[in-house]
Amino acid sequence: MNFWEKNLEVLQRVAPDLAATLSVTVVPEDHQALPSRSGPPYLQVGKQRLTSSYDPVKEGQDWAQSLGEAGGPLIVFGLGLGYHILPLLAQNRDVWVVEPSAAVARLALEHQDLTALLARNGLRLGADFTGLPKDARLVEHTPTRRLHPGPHRRLIRFLAGEDGELGPLRILVVGPLWGGSHPISRYTARGFKQLGHETEFLDFAPFYSGYQALAEVTKDQRAEHRLKQELLRLLGETIIARVRDFKPDLVFAMAQSPVAPPLLKALKAEVPLVAYWFVEEFQVLTYWQELAPEVDVFFTLQKEPFFTELKNRGVKNFACLPLAADLEAYHPMELTPEEKRHFGSAVSFVGAGYYNRRQFFQGLTDFDFKIWGSEWVLNSSLGSCIQNQAARVSEEDSNKIFNATRINLNLHSSPFHAGINPQGDYLNPRVFDLAGCGAFQLVDWRSHLSEFFIPDKEVAVFTSLAECREKISFYLAHDDERRQMAAAARERVLKEHTYAKRLAGALEIIQDLHPGGLPHRKPQEIATPSLQTCFPGSHPVQTLIDGLPDGVPSDLDGLVSRIKESDEPLTEPEAILWFLHEFRRGLQGRGANGGS
Amino acid sequence: MNPLPVLKETSEDVGLSQAPMGLSASVSPQNILVLQLARLGDLVQTWPLLTRLRQAHPGARLTLLTDHRLLPLMAAGPEVDEVLGFDFLRLGSLASGDWRGAYNLVADSLKGLQAQHFDQVFNLNFSRLSLLLTYLLEAPAKGYLPTKGGREFSREPWLAWIYSLVHARQFNRFHLTDVFRHLAPEPAAGAAAPQLAAIPRGEPIIALQLATRHMRRTWPLEHFTRLAEHLVTRHSARVLLLGTKAERNLGEKLRAMLDPVLRERVTNLQGETGLAELIGQLQQTHLLVSGDTGTLHLAAALGVPTLALFLGPALCFETGPYGPGHYVLQAEPPCHPCTEAASPCPEDGPICLQMLPPDAAARLITSLLEGGTAPQDLLLPAGSRLYRSEIDSFGVFYQYLGEDPPRFVDLIGDAYRQAGTWLAEAGREVGEGGQKPVAQASVAQVSRLCTSDPSPKPPPPTPYWQGEKLSDGVLERLELTLAVLNRGWQVPRNMPEVAAALRPLLAFQAEMQRQRQEALFAGVKSVFTTHLVGWLKATR
């Protein structure tokens, strides 16, 4: 009988659920138990070695010894291959082990006799902390902690008495008026709902036609601009009104939503936490500069050099949050023969006619190639490929096209390059949408890609036009491989790239950056003392504060917005307060920029 | 995706212009405050206004309020009775928590000012801060006027005129210094414009200001490097690099790109000079080469010859070196002048960056050093122009030194300048005449001003193109402009230039209607039209 069977036998008796989970766990290729120099296997995950490749047994013994002799229960974060646990078990110590990765646990159980641990029900997987003694000493298997810092922190919080489970939160998702981030905002709201949070989606799409209509009202550009500003200001007020009613724990604002710095400042006084998801390219759209410093957590798609740019502007609470797939919008479909004929082709692309695509696709017109989407030039060499007179494609139709097409091209957009952007980093929504459909995808290489999908196993990748053509030909001729890859992509998405999964991670990040910020609603502690405490009771400023209606925050911003509302000539205290408010705004906007 | 515009405060609503524009003519101000709270360059460009005020009201007390950090600058400025510095730096540190302290700083400064009982306040800043201060001082104001109980702005007609040109900056021929100057009345005797020192031949000291406040205005570092090489090699110049500490890496990079032998002659002073030392340093300099920066304005004000490099949003007519005899190389591609926040430049990058070649700057400087004048045949890329500054009765203007025939934009720009010259005076006279509230100018008054010889001063110099034949295209546009103005024609779609040319006029018209000063608009329109008609006649 081998290790696995022996371990499994004990596990099935003591913790049948865990046994079942580990029985079906598939160990991915990048998790390997390889022979060490001294003989017994060592553990390698991807590029990380989790145990010594020379003498893992000795390494484990040394580690256990370094813990000292003191008794008492021990919780070890990280199982590795168990070398460091065995000495503890041999000493009969009270030990529990929390291992974040099922694959690693499975490997360990295949290569090590851990019956002693399992018999005392000492193994926990992932975020299952049942039965762990809170007074135990927590130690870590460092390579595991490095790979899984989030789960480690979660364990710490649990042991510290903070409920590891986030109770259901109240989350307000604020969407844009239109544009690419609109579907993403819908998916985000849905994702939070799926996680069990009471979620509201503040959808401004109904205002978009109004916003556009303002352009028809007047030819005077400046007047039009003013009208649009008024509308945006109104929408900002709408957000505040909703927030006061709904009282969310978290406002999650999407790129292009009508939030400007003044609104974000007002929001700070109304909600515990404001997060912003900037799903744009930071060099192309630079409005992040004024928004990032104003929110509690700033999520991006890109990492460096964006992170450095943010740091340079004094922004500390930022994190990368990649996109994901919404399975309600994108899923495998059965199509009628009519639909297959209409929406299907050998090769297709759905999306806008950015410059690089217009150039690159000229090299593919000899294939059965359908181009869907807007902003394509009908009167060009691509003309015969363009469908529906370059009309916009609905989400529903995209789903059908993805399902009906044999090879779905995904070329990330660039206004500058003639084809592929060699510095391309983040993944566009289409990467995940296609995988969600279980559709075969041929995508341009991006530096983030392999973190999400295994290149040429789950998605096919190209780095040049020649390679693209080669792969198209190949996969058109090898249907089985094509289908296999598409199915693999779908599996991956289901496991790791749904919005629910992604947003759960986002909430973790928010908790990490603002410990205690969720879900308990604390009165917002501002670093500066409140205005009220600075002035004696008889001071005219106090009179003004007293005159504030309920619900208006008694800080400088609240006071000044109240002062601005009136029509009466300004009194001296009012003017001075407005002066201070304006001055501070200028400081925050400009940074240290003195004379010339 | 177009990013949504950021919410900004709008402060354009004028409403009634009840704000007094000045004292009634019978009383001259005795105690004047000039508010200039902006940057170094703005302060320096206020100096001629201070001089003019001193001359127009020799008996009055003249006080200047500026940013505390700029006080050392005033040692080189015109004589005023008192210079006050508002301590923004201290306010900044108080405003991060000590609200009482911050409030008291403002309140105390205000009390000090109120105690002086100014009887006229020149508010030169388009900012909420200076507006509130002006309002609280409760003295008759000039410039940006508080209205509606201190909540809103109004611009007096002269500033409204300048502002209307923001709609089509390519036609703006009013220098900021002159905008300020003409807020004050005409003095009995004008001051002679300072003449520039001649640049010595041997071992001249030449300063280079490497950075400007925005990428788009900044001449590429490689160009500066090539220029420095030329100056040292050909003229044995001593080259000084100027700027702030934050810009020091540019200077280091420039020196690193030079041959070690040449490097010795190039000294990096960036970040090493305070304001007082900067003034001293500039006074020792024989020539400054700079973009549109405070240093440029300071040098010009100190009488130092300058070569200005203007590109991107910088327009020499608005903010060039002030005074006679300065040179400007200006890039004028079709997109000029842009704004700092404008849409991205075309795919290949900003074209203007390459339109001012270092060789041209080098040739120009060599010619100045060796012959005292610009070369006759300076080759510049198409769309780039060389100007030399001159002073006329109105203020500074920039004379084009080149062979190209006049363009539509030149003629229209000049027409606006003539109209503005008229307005600067008419606005004042209207303001100072009679007991009528200044809000109502009678048509009779204004038409008198129009038809009679408006000024005893010599007329502005004839434009360089006087007598030159205008091209058909320019003629056509001129005629069309007049037709639209005089006969109410529609602007055809294929003539966006003409539509642009009229936008400032229309904006001014709307504003004057709001301020119930229609007669002022009638006046400028009349002058504007008269000048255009004059050229048409001359050219036929």
Side-chain angles (χ1 to χ4, degrees):
Chain A
M1 211 202 274
N2 58 30
F3 287 125
W4 167 242
E5 284 169 17
K6 246 178 120 184
N7 287 319
L8 187 59
E9 199 184 43
V10 175
L11 200 53
Q12 271 167 340
R13 256 188 296 124
V14 176
D17 286 338
L18 184 54
T21 306
L22 289 175
S23 299
V24 296
T25 299
V26 170
V27 177
E29 256 188 33
D30 63 347
H31 287 56
Q32 294 172 303
L34 303 166
S36 66
R37 293 265 201 91
S38 58
Y42 73 93
L43 178 59
Q44 176 124 355
V45 174
K47 291 209 177 107
Q48 295 275 96
R49 245 178 282 135
L50 267 71
T51 56
S52 160
S53 58
Y54 181 65
D55 191 344
V57 176
K58 178 162 189 314
E59 181 190 57
Q61 283 167 345
D62 289 343
W63 181 88
Q65 209 168 29
S66 73
L67 292 184
E69 290 297 323
L74 264 181
I75 300 179
V76 182
F77 180 79
L79 177 59
L81 278 183
Y83 292 108
H84 55 292
I85 307 296
L86 292 176
L88 300 173
L89 294 170
Q91 291 165 26
N92 259 320
R93 291 174 82 153
D94 252 0
V95 63
W96 282 261
V97 180
V98 177
E99 169 53 47
S101 160
V104 167
R106 173 69 193 241
L107 264 184
L109 293 186
E110 288 176 2
H111 290 91
Q112 208 70 269
D113 182 348
L114 291 167
T115 47
L117 176 68
L118 300 173
R120 47 190 312 273
N121 197 12
L123 178 63
R124 297 290 179 278
L125 204 53
D128 173 21
F129 303 145
T130 37
L132 291 179
K134 295 251 173 104
D135 60 341
R137 178 180 163 203
L138 174 65
V139 293
E140 64 182 39
H141 177 238
T142 310
T144 307
R145 198 251 308 143
R146 275 206 214 105
L147 268 184
H148 302 281
H152 182 241
R153 278 196 286 265
R154 215 177 314 161
L155 179 56
I156 295 177
R157 282 202 296 268
F158 174 79
L159 294 174
E162 290 167 41
D163 202 346
E165 280 299 315
L166 270 180
L169 300 170
R170 298 165 72 83
I171 303 180
L172 181 68
V173 176
V174 181
L177 276 77
W178 75 297
S181 59
H182 191 271
I184 299 175
S185 59
R186 278 186 281 122
Y187 305 155
T188 301
R190 204 144 52 195
F192 280 129
K193 279 204 189 100
Q194 285 163 355
L195 289 171
H197 301 294
E198 194 181 335
T199 313
E200 259 203 25
F201 175 44
L202 198 46
D203 185 1
F204 286 117
F207 289 93
Y208 181 53
S209 47
Y211 182 83
Q212 291 214 296
L214 292 177
E216 312 299 325
V217 166
T218 168
K219 292 201 185 78
D220 182 339
Q221 278 186 359
R222 290 193 54 243
E224 179 193 317
H225 182 74
R226 276 186 62 199
L227 288 173
K228 286 187 170 171
Q229 304 287 42
E230 277 305 304
L231 178 59
L232 292 174
R233 203 201 302 266
L234 169 67
L235 298 183
E237 296 285 324
T238 313
I239 299 175
I240 298 271
R242 194 69 210 114
V243 156
R244 286 188 181 152
D245 221 63
F246 181 52
K247 298 193 176 33
D249 302 309
L250 170 69
V251 167
F252 200 88
M254 299 298 305
Q256 307 263 347
S257 54
V259 296
L263 174 74
L264 291 172
K265 290 197 177 70
L267 271 182
K268 274 218 171 101
E270 307 271 351
V271 290
L273 286 173
V274 178
Y276 192 94
W277 198 0
F278 184 76
V279 297
E280 322 265 36
E281 238 176 315
F282 83 97
Q283 287 128 327
V284 176
L285 290 169
T286 57
Y287 65 91
W288 57 269
Q289 292 174 1
E290 55 204 3
L291 297 182
E294 304 292 342
V295 298
D296 297 305
V297 184
F298 189 75
F299 288 113
T300 68
L301 293 184
Q302 296 164 294
K303 299 183 203 171
E304 291 294 355
F306 195 8
F307 284 175
T308 303
E309 294 287 322
L310 286 166
K311 272 183 236 159
N312 287 345
R313 279 171 177 74
V315 180
K316 294 202 186 80
N317 294 326
F318 54 82
C320 179
L321 183 66
L323 296 170
D326 181 295
L327 298 176
E328 263 185 56
Y330 293 101
H331 49 266
M333 274 183 90
E334 284 300 321
L335 297 168
T336 66
E338 180 52 49
E339 284 173 327
K340 281 194 192 142
R341 202 180 24 235
H342 179 70
F343 292 112
S345 58
V347 185
S348 81
F349 175 80
V350 181
Y354 278 86
Y355 172 71
N356 69 322
R357 292 170 181 158
R358 298 202 304 272
Q359 302 304 312
F360 190 83
F361 290 165
Q362 288 176 38
L364 301 173
T365 50
D366 53 335
F367 291 106
D368 167 25
F369 183 24
K370 284 191 180 163
I371 298 178
W372 305 82
S374 58
E375 285 159 70
W376 295 95
V377 179
L378 291 171
N379 185 10
S380 71
S381 58
L382 297 175
S384 54
C385 304
I386 299 170
Q387 305 296 307
N388 280 350
Q389 310 294 312
R392 288 191 77 98
V393 184
S394 67
E395 191 175 271
E396 204 188 313
D397 283 352
S398 296
N399 199 354
K400 293 187 180 157
I401 297 165
F402 292 158
N403 272 280
T405 304
R406 281 198 277 156
I407 297 188
N408 287 282
L409 270 182
N410 183 5
L411 176 62
H412 286 75
S413 66
S414 166
F416 308 114
H417 301 86
I420 300 169
N421 175 359
Q423 274 90 42
D425 46 14
Y426 71 94
L427 302 180
N428 65 17
R430 197 177 294 96
V431 174
F432 300 98
D433 298 340
L434 283 168
C437 286
F440 176 83
Q441 172 175 183
L442 179 56
V443 62
D444 57 318
W445 187 85
R446 307 282 286 184
S447 61
H448 290 183
L449 185 61
S450 44
E451 289 164 43
F452 295 84
F453 293 97
I454 305 174
D456 293 321
K457 279 259 154 55
E458 290 166 343
V459 298
V461 182
F462 62 94
T463 56
S464 68
L465 180 58
E467 197 179 349
C468 181
R469 291 180 60 88
E470 198 189 302
K471 291 202 170 155
I472 291 176
S473 304
F474 179 83
Y475 285 104
L476 285 178
H478 294 81
D479 213 50
D480 283 341
E481 276 95 319
R482 189 182 64 78
R483 288 180 197 280
Q484 251 174 34
M485 223 191 268
R490 164 104 179 148
E491 279 307 304
R492 188 70 185 267
V493 155
L494 285 173
K495 244 189 350 193
E496 293 176 30
H497 302 314
T498 59
Y499 269 95
K501 271 260 157 56
R502 195 69 85 230
L503 295 169
L507 289 174
E508 290 276 306
I509 294 171
I510 293 176
Q511 275 199 300
D512 286 339
L513 292 173
H514 296 274
L518 301 170
H520 311 290
R521 197 170 309 135
K522 268 202 248 182
Q524 192 65 21
E525 295 284 32
I526 318 168
T528 62
S530 82
L531 204 59
Q532 223 162 351
T533 58
C534 290
F535 293 94
S538 54
H539 199 282
V541 173
Q542 286 293 10
T543 319
L544 285 172
I545 295 178
D546 292 337
L548 286 176
D550 287 325
V552 180
S554 60
D555 59 358
L556 188 60
D557 292 338
L559 266 181
V560 173
S561 54
R562 180 92 182 132
I563 291 171
K564 286 186 192 177
E565 279 166 16
S566 161
D567 279 329
E568 294 299 308
L570 294 174
T571 63
E572 191 171 294
E574 286 174 335
I576 295 181
L577 285 173
W578 197 339
F579 185 102
L580 290 175
H581 168 81
E582 199 65 29
F583 175 74
R584 192 178 63 165
R585 262 180 47 158
L587 273 189
Q588 287 161 339
R590 221 180 334 123
N593 179 12
S596 185
Chain B
M1 289 184 214
N2 293 319
L4 294 176
V6 175
L7 290 178
K8 277 196 178 61
E9 288 204 347
T10 54
S11 46
E12 305 308 334
D13 189 7
V14 171
L16 296 180
S17 172
Q18 298 289 356
M21 270 167 33
L23 306 176
S24 54
S26 49
V27 181
S28 209
Q30 295 300 309
N31 190 0
I32 305 173
L33 174 69
V34 174
L35 273 182
Q36 177 48 277
L37 299 175
R39 283 182 269 247
L40 184 152
D42 299 283
L43 179 56
V44 168
Q45 289 173 103
T46 305
W47 285 352
L49 168 65
L50 295 171
T51 310
R52 187 156 156 127
L53 279 174
R54 176 60 100 213
Q55 287 155 0
H57 305 294
R61 184 177 160 77
L62 186 54
T63 308
L64 170 73
L65 176 64
T66 184
D67 187 322
H68 187 257
R69 285 164 286 193
L70 294 177
L71 284 182
L73 207 55
M74 291 308 295
E79 192 232 313
V80 294
D81 294 297
E82 189 168 12
V83 181
L84 299 171
F86 193 101
D87 199 344
F88 283 114
L89 197 57
R90 184 136 180 278
L91 185 61
S93 52
L94 289 171
S96 55
D98 182 358
W99 290 118
R100 186 114 188 258
Y103 187 96
N104 286 344
L105 189 152
V106 179
D108 291 342
S109 309
L110 184 62
K111 213 170 16 194
L113 290 171
Q114 284 165 332
Q116 304 225 27
H117 302 295
F118 297 110
D119 58 19
Q120 189 169 65
V121 174
F122 282 75
N123 178 14
L124 302 181
N125 297 130
F126 181 60
S127 96
R128 175 74 51 184
L129 297 183
S130 61
L131 176 75
L132 289 168
L133 280 180
T134 307
Y135 168 71
L136 289 171
L137 289 172
E138 292 182 336
K142 292 277 293 167
Y144 296 98
L145 315 170
T147 60
K148 292 203 173 169
R151 296 173 178 282
E152 308 270 359
F153 278 104
S154 165
R155 292 181 171 87
E156 56 173 272
W158 172 237
L159 291 186
W161 171 251
I162 301 301
Y163 182 68
S164 65
L165 282 159
V166 157
H167 292 79
R169 280 177 71 212
Q170 64 270 35
F171 302 114
N172 188 10
R173 299 289 179 274
F174 297 99
H175 196 280
L176 183 62
T177 306
D178 292 324
V179 172
F180 290 154
R181 267 177 74 239
H182 285 279
L183 286 170
E186 184 83 41
Q195 289 302 319
L196 291 183
I199 312 176
R201 287 209 180 179
E203 297 213 1
I205 301 174
I206 303 187
L208 307 180
Q209 165 71 27
L210 297 180
T212 71
R213 73 167 188 270
H214 195 276
M215 279 306 306
R216 285 188 172 194
R217 298 170 187 264
T218 308
W219 208 42
L221 190 66
E222 303 75 48
H223 291 356
F224 269 116
T225 311
R226 284 219 51 183
L227 181 62
E229 273 170 359
H230 172 87
L231 295 173
V232 171
T233 335
R234 174 79 181 260
H235 299 288
S236 304
R238 284 205 285 126
V239 174
L240 306 176
L241 304 180
L242 300 180
T244 64
K245 204 147 150 211
E247 295 154 5
R248 220 187 143 80
N249 64 317
L250 291 172
E252 292 310 307
K253 212 164 150 198
L254 186 153
R255 292 186 74 247
M257 289 198 275
L258 291 173
D259 214 71
V261 172
L262 304 179
R263 209 181 289 159
E264 276 180 13
R265 306 278 295 176
V266 176
T267 317
N268 189 351
L269 293 177
Q270 293 175 312
E272 292 182 12
T273 54
L275 283 176
E277 291 97 3
L278 177 62
I279 292 172
Q281 203 59 252
L282 283 173
Q283 282 166 335
Q284 309 280 339
T285 305
H286 299 124
L287 174 72
L288 169 73
V289 181
S290 165
D292 181 10
T293 65
T295 315
L296 178 74
H297 301 306
L298 182 55
L302 296 172
V304 177
T306 65
L307 166 58
L309 300 161
F310 272 53
L311 51 134
L315 185 61
C316 68
F317 305 111
E318 288 179 348
T319 51
Y322 192 86
H326 297 282
Y327 288 88
V328 180
L329 280 172
Q330 180 158 273
E332 297 180 25
C335 40
H336 170 79
C338 62
T339 65
E340 280 167 15
S343 23
C345 301
E347 280 179 24
D348 303 331
I351 15 180
C352 56
L353 278 186
Q354 301 309 324
M355 283 174 72
L356 302 179
D359 294 331
R363 264 210 71 201
L364 174 56
I365 297 180
T366 297
S367 186
L368 291 176
L369 290 176
E370 291 178 358
T373 56
Q376 296 286 57
D377 55 347
L378 186 67
L379 270 182
L380 290 174
S384 293
R385 297 194 141 203
L386 173 64
Y387 294 93
R388 188 183 56 227
S389 64
E390 308 284 355
I391 296 283
D392 66 7
S393 54
F394 180 82
V396 74
F397 73 97
Y398 295 86
Q399 184 81 280
Y400 167 55
L401 304 178
E403 305 287 307
D404 292 345
R407 308 167 299 180
F408 180 65
V409 64
D410 298 319
L411 300 180
I412 298 293
D414 198 68
Y416 272 111
R417 187 179 166 91
Q418 304 307 331
T421 308
W422 175 87
L423 178 69
E425 207 182 303
R428 269 200 302 279
E429 252 195 60
V430 160
E432 292 161 15
Q435 289 87 1
K436 279 197 271 256
V438 298
Q440 306 289 324
S442 77
V443 178
Q445 259 181 309
V446 167
S447 54
R448 174 181 59 78
L449 291 167
C450 272
T451 51
S452 65
D453 182 2
S455 64
K457 303 179 292 297
T462 52
Y464 70 92
W465 57 77
Q466 195 77 352
E468 266 204 58
K469 197 152 172 12
L470 298 175
S471 73
D472 288 339
V474 174
L475 271 178
E476 190 189 354
R477 282 165 178 76
L478 266 189
E479 283 169 346
L480 192 52
T481 308
L482 284 168
V484 172
L485 268 179
N486 292 336
R487 283 170 274 154
W489 281 24
Q490 286 273 53
V491 181
R493 276 179 189 221
N494 63 335
M495 294 283 196
E497 276 183 298
V498 171
L502 292 172
R503 255 185 249 138
L505 264 185
L506 296 175
F508 187 65
Q509 178 179 33
E511 180 64 17
M512 289 303 99
Q513 271 165 359
R514 260 207 290 257
Q515 292 193 19
R516 306 220 218 108
Q517 298 269 29
E518 288 93 337
L520 285 180
F521 171 69
V524 297
K525 179 179 169 187
S526 169
V527 175
F528 185 85
T529 325
T530 309
H531 275 272
L532 291 185
V533 168
W535 290 323
L536 273 179
K537 284 208 185 108
T539 198
R540 285 212 190 98

